[in-house]
Amino acid sequence: MELLSAENVVAVGTAVLGIIASGVMVWYERRTPRRKRIGYRVQMDNPIGDDVRMGRANVRLGLFDEAPDMSDATLVLLRIENDGSQGIDRDDYTSPEVHGLTAVFTARVIRGVSVTQPSDTDHLMDHFTPSRGFGYDGNTLRIPRVPLNPRDHFKLLVLLSGGDVESEIRLSGGIRDGVVHMNRSATPDDKPPLFSRAARLITIMLTVSVLTLATLVVTRDDARPPIGCATGELTLTGSTAFAPVLREVAKKYEGDCEGATIEVDPHGSTAGVRELAAAGAQQGTKGSPPIVALSDGPKPSGLPELRENRVAVSVFALVVNDDIGLTSLSTEDVRRIYRGEVKNWSELNGPDLPVHLVSRDANSGTRQVFQRRVLGRGEIANSSVDCVQKDDPTLDVIRCELDSTDQVLTTVAGLPGAIGYSELNAADDAKGLHLLQLDGHTPSVDAIEHGTNPYPYREIEYAYTYGRPPADSLASSFLTYLARGNGQDIIRTHGHIPCWTPEGLELCAED
């Protein structure tokens, strides 16, 4: 990045402006009395007489028709408030007179005054007495030394005659370590601004500078690709349960590394591993084919040429239709169900519904993990194509096989009495079904990662290559990116435990 690039200039300018602004504000606050403040504003100045001089029509009755000198009467509502950060006591007023403030209504004569204040400040009325200086003479109104907490206020409704509306109105007086000033407001009871005009201006300038810098940094894409990027084409196959991770990592890799094209084409763990083995055998001595096969668990025996990379720990779950009220089964009960010994859920204190086994096909790694980690044997024979009707009447229970995790979850959710299995993260988001505990242990990634849960239905996710691909190949680069680079965050987001973390290393070392 160049020394005088646009973002550097804006960054340095913002820093310098911030330092100068901070110094100016410190000086300003020290030199200008702003901690104790009395603000005032005219909230109403209306004619109530003929107001012929202003050229306005005005309807009036009674006093203003009959009393002398009242034909040009006006009403003024004056609001006085403590808009500072500290309370104001009687002794804070610096006037040498008994009263504290003086209001002058230029070119008009005061005829009467009424005082109002909010209901929660009734105590203020005690100060408006002649003995404390409250009174008026001609165009001058004397206002007592009224103590005001921050945000306290009172209002003076003044009846005047002999002048035009909007004639100048001044409020004067002194406050120790403070100031009396005019507030301006768009509506009658707006609160005064919390910050001064100078503070608002500096804040706006700094905000604009920071936003400009952020926009330049975000929109200017001159970042170099990550170390180890490779170009070419690569196919990812195998596990359908791990496919969402592969798709997201592949898209991110392609975005970070220009010139890489990665296709995700999962067909099941066993099918993916055998596809890789066949491609490698066909290529012969020409090297490793551009294929990586993901498998839920170790490869089948008899494929010594395949090289393994442990990527993550995947957690799986048994799922049942919501019509089945059971939330936990023992491992032995699950084995009885999948041996075909339990034909109705009522045999396990569940509802009177026939058992429907919704399984994966033989190529599924999810099924192989289930058989290896939970059943300890293979599943019984298939007896149904549609998972509803029994096609082989000699078999005791209905059992069907489906091609993907999504199909299993959809079928279990829509079929009363159905039980199936799935990758945990996909099952968590499904509707119409719920997870089963095994031996009282909940399928939980966090609990397994921290060693507090012996939940058995889990497996290491393997990535296989045919032999060792070259270090500068796309396959080698992608595997590093997936297992040890940015892919770790995506693996965790999808509910798996990355192997290259302190906790994952120990879990992935298990056989």
Side-chain angles (χ1 to χ4, degrees), residues 255-291:
D256 289 343
C257 300
E258 186 176 355
T261 301
I262 303 174
E263 179 185 5
V264 181
D265 186 26
H267 300 296
S269 295
T270 300
V273 168
R274 296 195 182 281
E275 178 185 343
L276 171 63
Q282 185 177 5
Q283 191 157 326
T285 59
K286 296 181 181 179
S288 178
I291 300 174

Side-chain angles (χ1 to χ4, degrees), residues 47-52 56-65 70-71 73:
I48 54 174
D50 280 336
D51 200 22
V52 174
R56 301 174 183 170
N58 196 273
V59 177
R60 54 191 176 82
L61 292 173
L63 174 66
F64 304 108
D65 249 345
M70 292 300 292
S71 61

